């Protein structure tokens, strides 16, 4: 089973350059968490799955911590997910920085980090 949260939008101050850390930027986050349910999903119990509301709230908190690299942010998100959901088989996080400061028109830059259990 995979629980996903895609297109979560944030404004944050991540960036290598001082200007990025001062003016901030818009970011989009996509998360996919694959797992085997510990119980029958027909039990209709939130404890038997990955809570995408928790995913959003956790990413909200991680985005508030200013970092130079979006790779670092994405890894922190994975670390939090694996800690909260030890039954996760794999986690994929895509973090997009919209309109990065490159001196050219670019839709976004992005990093994709993955975790695979075992």
């Amino acid at each position: 089973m995979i629980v996903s949260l895609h297109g979560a939008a944030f404004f944050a101050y991540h960036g290598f350059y001082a200007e990025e850390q001062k003016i901030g930027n818009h970011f989009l986050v996509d998360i996919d968490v694959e797992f085997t349910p510990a119980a029958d999903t027909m039990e209709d119990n939130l404890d038997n799955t990955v809570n995408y509301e928790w995913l959003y709230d956790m990413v909200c908190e991680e985005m508030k911590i200013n970092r130079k690299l979006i790779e670092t942010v994405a890894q922190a998100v994975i670390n939090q997910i694996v800690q909260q959901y030890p039954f996760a088989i794999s986690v994929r996080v895509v973090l997009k920085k919209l309109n990065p400061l490159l001196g050219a028109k670019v839709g976004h830059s992005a990093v994709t980090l993955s975790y695979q259990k075992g």
Side-chain angles (χ1 to χ4, degrees):
M1 176 178 292
I2 298 173
V3 169
S4 298
L5 181 69
H6 287 185
F10 302 93
F11 187 85
Y13 297 89
H14 306 303
F16 182 77
Y17 300 105
E19 183 179 2
E20 293 177 295
Q21 294 172 14
K22 184 176 180 178
I23 64 173
N25 207 332
H26 294 275
F27 297 84
L28 292 176
V29 179
D30 298 334
I31 301 171
D32 299 302
V33 182
E34 181 181 3
F35 64 100
T36 301
D40 185 356
T41 54
M42 291 304 293
E43 288 182 8
D44 208 22
N45 185 341
L46 188 57
D47 292 334
N48 296 337
T49 189
V50 171
N51 182 339
Y52 53 81
E53 182 179 13
W54 179 88
L55 291 176
Y56 179 83
D57 291 343
M58 176 271 299
V59 174
C60 246
E61 291 305 310
E62 288 297 332
M63 294 300 284
K64 291 177 184 175
I65 303 169
N66 297 352
R67 295 184 171 107
K68 290 182 179 179
L69 301 178
I70 58 176
E71 292 89 331
T72 307
V73 180
Q75 185 63 58
V77 168
I78 288 176
N79 293 349
Q80 289 279 358
I81 294 168
V82 171
Q83 182 177 348
Q84 178 71 19
Y85 299 110
F87 53 82
I89 297 169
S90 67
V91 179
R92 181 174 178 263
V93 173
V94 180
L95 179 53
K96 300 173 186 174
K97 181 188 283 189
L98 305 182
N99 302 310
L101 297 177
L102 295 177
K105 183 170 173 57
V106 176
H108 70 268
S109 58
V111 297
T112 301
L113 274 75
S114 298
Y115 160 86
Q116 186 73 39
K117 188 177 227 172

